[in-house]
Amino acid sequence: MQKTGVLPDKVTMVSVISACAMSGALDLGRWVHTYIDKRSIENDLELSTALVNMYAKCGYFEKAIEVFEAMPVKDAKAWSSMIVGLAVNGLAEYALVTFSRMNKAEVEPNHVTLVGVLMACAHSGLVSEGKREKVVSLIFRKAHLEVIEVGKQDSVSPGNEKNVGLGSSQI
């Protein structure tokens, strides 16, 4: 793109940052982040979330936290990226504190958020010790409500009982 004079936009940068995250290319991801800043490419919710995800997956959780905290608006994907990133990097307590902040911000957790919280509990031994009963209870209550909601959307008739609760879009 650079050789042809085509300037990348924020959508292109999300793709490049995501590729860096998947391949663990921290140095390239940092270079791209600098490029974004120097070119004044709009750093919106999607791009910021991609940066948080990339830094967390590459083990540079300090920078992931910095980018996350600078975000003026955070959706479930942004919170989930941060929670999972912290849990994977062994910062289970901070991941659970972040989950608590997400709840206080009244952002509805998604399935990735809940997996991240469970990972944090498992990595820190909190599930077996029962120290986070409220967190685990919230996770299971949320999962139960999602199953009920999906079940309401499915039509139950003789012969299709095996698909109840799955939803056609989730198969």
Side-chain angles (χ1 to χ4, degrees), residues 54-65:
M54 185 269 300
Y55 283 124
K57 283 186 176 178
C58 291
Y60 192 6
F61 57 88
E62 297 94 343
K63 190 67 174 177
I65 292 168

Side-chain angles (χ1 to χ4, degrees), residues 8-98:
D9 60 6
K10 63 185 175 186
V11 175
T12 304
M13 294 292 97
V14 168
S15 297
V16 172
I17 290 293
S18 296
C20 291
M22 287 188 278
S23 64
L26 177 59
D27 290 337
L28 180 57
R30 290 175 71 185
W31 182 89
V32 172
H33 190 180
T34 301
Y35 180 88
I36 291 166
D37 290 343
K38 283 185 179 178
R39 295 289 182 174
S40 299
I41 296 173
E42 182 187 357
N43 200 341
D44 65 357
L45 180 62
E46 290 290 324
L47 185 51
S48 293
T49 301
L51 287 166
V52 168
N53 186 49
M54 185 269 300
Y55 283 124
K57 283 186 176 178
C58 291
Y60 192 6
F61 57 88
E62 297 94 343
K63 190 67 174 177
I65 292 168
E66 179 185 316
V67 172
F68 179 77
E69 294 300 339
M71 294 172 68
V73 175
K74 299 170 184 82
D75 65 359
K77 289 179 186 178
W79 285 101
S80 297
S81 292
M82 190 74 256
I83 291 166
V84 170
L86 292 166
V88 167
N89 283 290
L91 299 169
E93 286 290 332
Y94 195 35
L96 295 173
V97 167
T98 303

Side-chain angles (χ1 to χ4, degrees), residues 96-113:
L96 295 173
V97 167
T98 303
F99 178 64
S100 178
R101 287 178 53 207
M102 178 185 185
N103 284 327
K104 286 179 185 169
E106 298 182 358
V107 176
E108 190 71 25
N110 60 27
H111 64 283
V112 176
T113 314

